[in-house]
Amino acid sequence: MAKTVLITGANRGIGQQVARVLATQGWDVLVGARDRKKGAAAAKRLREDTGGRLRAVELDVTRDGSVMAAARALRDGAIKLAALVNNAGIYGSAGPAQTLETNFFGALRTTEAMLPLLVDGGSITNVTSSLGAAGNLDAGPRAELLAIVERDALAEHVRALVRAQGRGWGTDAYGASKAALDQLTRILARELAPRAIRANATDPGWVRTDMGGRGAPRTIEQGGASVLFGVTTECTGGVWRDGERID
Ligand SMILES: NC(=O)c1ccc[n+]([C@@H]2O[C@H](COP(=O)([O-])OP(=O)(O)OC[C@H]3O[C@@H](n4cnc5c(N)ncnc54)[C@H](OP(=O)(O)O)[C@@H]3O)[C@@H](O)[C@H]2O)c1
């Protein structure tokens, strides 16, 4: 039977590329998109391009109601996920709180909602950035972050940073959001090991998308392949680029 993957923010960019490749490989692909029309258009486009099985799922990772509704719809459809790719992300103009909300809390919220639907032996891939490498943080924030071993404590830590308007981040909000996402990945890997669910963070590198801009050195195919490693690897708990462990 075909495996099912849910990819957030898959209506364009790297998420769409990951959807394209997995559809070509025979996966049933759920194209997560916060805008229903954009999601439907992307799923249609990819069905035409690949001949694969893709359908849109409306999912705004920053809204509890949206994420819960998506999880309910999948549950009611008796859909089980073999893979979840937390790809949705923002960079730049939206401001620190919204950046943390989307890039960190969005992945946490989606993961928690989808965990009951994830099969034992499945995978969670969090799309990160080298800007979030723990090595970029100042020593104090780095030690504090890496010492956190539970999801709730990590969420509280990030909420406190938002309340403090960034004092203590040790980097900008985007870097902080991805550093926290990497730590969430390590926590999930340990927590879900008894169910053989693998959790990895994968960095696409600097890629020519709307986010990366035209001057980025990497193609969308290269970025997508780097992310896809998280779906296929037997490893867990790592941060990877192009299949090489970077953190
Ligand atoms: N491009 C790079 O150089 C680069 C480098 C390192 C890491 N990354 C990471 O790779 C991931 C994908 O980036 P990209 O370059 O493909 O970016 P992109 O082209 O800007 O696409 C971002 C995607 O995320 C979606 N999104 C944003 N906020 C969302 C929300 N609240 N709920 C659901 N979806 C939401 C967007 O949906 P809309 O169309 O509705 O806006 C879009 O589909 C991100 O996590 C990013 O941080 C990118």
Side-chain angles (χ1 to χ4, degrees):
M1 209 171 90
K3 295 182 191 172
T4 301
V5 57
L6 170 64
I7 306 156
T8 64
N11 55 288
R12 62 186 167 99
I14 292 163
Q16 176 174 248
Q17 174 63 16
V18 170
R20 179 186 296 280
V21 173
L22 290 176
T24 306
Q25 293 176 353
W27 287 68
D28 285 339
V29 179
L30 302 173
V31 176
R34 59 178 159 178
D35 181 299
R36 184 196 303 258
K37 283 188 185 156
K38 284 188 197 169
K44 180 167 181 282
R45 189 163 61 238
L46 292 171
R47 276 195 304 272
E48 287 167 0
D49 289 356
T50 66
R53 292 178 304 275
L54 305 105
R55 69 185 172 87
V57 171
E58 189 177 341
L59 198 163
D60 182 335
V61 300
T62 62
R63 292 181 42 231
D64 284 334
S66 172
V67 175
M68 293 318 295
R72 245 190 335 267
L74 299 188
R75 192 197 59 206
D76 292 351
I79 289 171
K80 290 286 183 189
L81 298 175
L84 168 65
V85 180
N86 287 310
N87 164 78
I90 58 171
Y91 175 82
S93 59
Q98 191 62 16
T99 300
L100 270 293
E101 187 56 48
T102 305
N103 297 359
F104 171 73
F105 287 109
L108 176 62
R109 181 181 288 114
T110 305
T111 300
E112 290 184 336
M114 298 301 163
L115 260 184
L117 304 177
L118 205 58
V119 299
D120 290 0
S123 69
I124 298 169
T125 303
N126 293 323
V127 182
T128 189
S129 162
S130 55
L131 297 176
N136 289 345
L137 298 174
D138 297 340
R142 179 168 66 238
E144 245 184 273
L145 184 72
L146 294 178
I148 299 172
V149 294
E150 286 176 348
R151 274 190 258 161
D152 290 350
L154 179 61
E156 187 42 45
H157 178 77
V158 178
R159 274 193 289 271
L161 292 177
V162 174
R163 280 196 299 274
Q165 299 183 338
R167 279 187 298 281
W169 283 352
T171 177
D172 67 1
Y174 182 81
S177 73
K178 298 296 190 181
L181 184 63
D182 291 353
Q183 187 62 7
L184 175 64
T185 305
R186 296 182 191 100
I187 291 170
L188 288 171
R190 277 193 296 270
E191 185 187 331
L192 300 174
R195 291 180 55 196
I197 293 174
R198 290 156 288 119
N200 289 285
T202 51
D203 170 22
W206 184 17
V207 178
R208 288 192 291 280
T209 60
D210 294 339
M211 181 186 290
R214 288 189 187 171
R218 283 165 68 94
T219 64
I220 201 147
E221 287 81 9
Q222 289 171 313
S226 189
V227 168
L228 279 159
F229 177 79
V231 178
T232 54
T233 181
E234 293 299 319
C235 300
T236 190
V239 183
W240 310 84
R241 187 193 309 119
D242 296 336
E244 297 206 357
R245 192 159 184 161
I246 56 172
D247 215 347

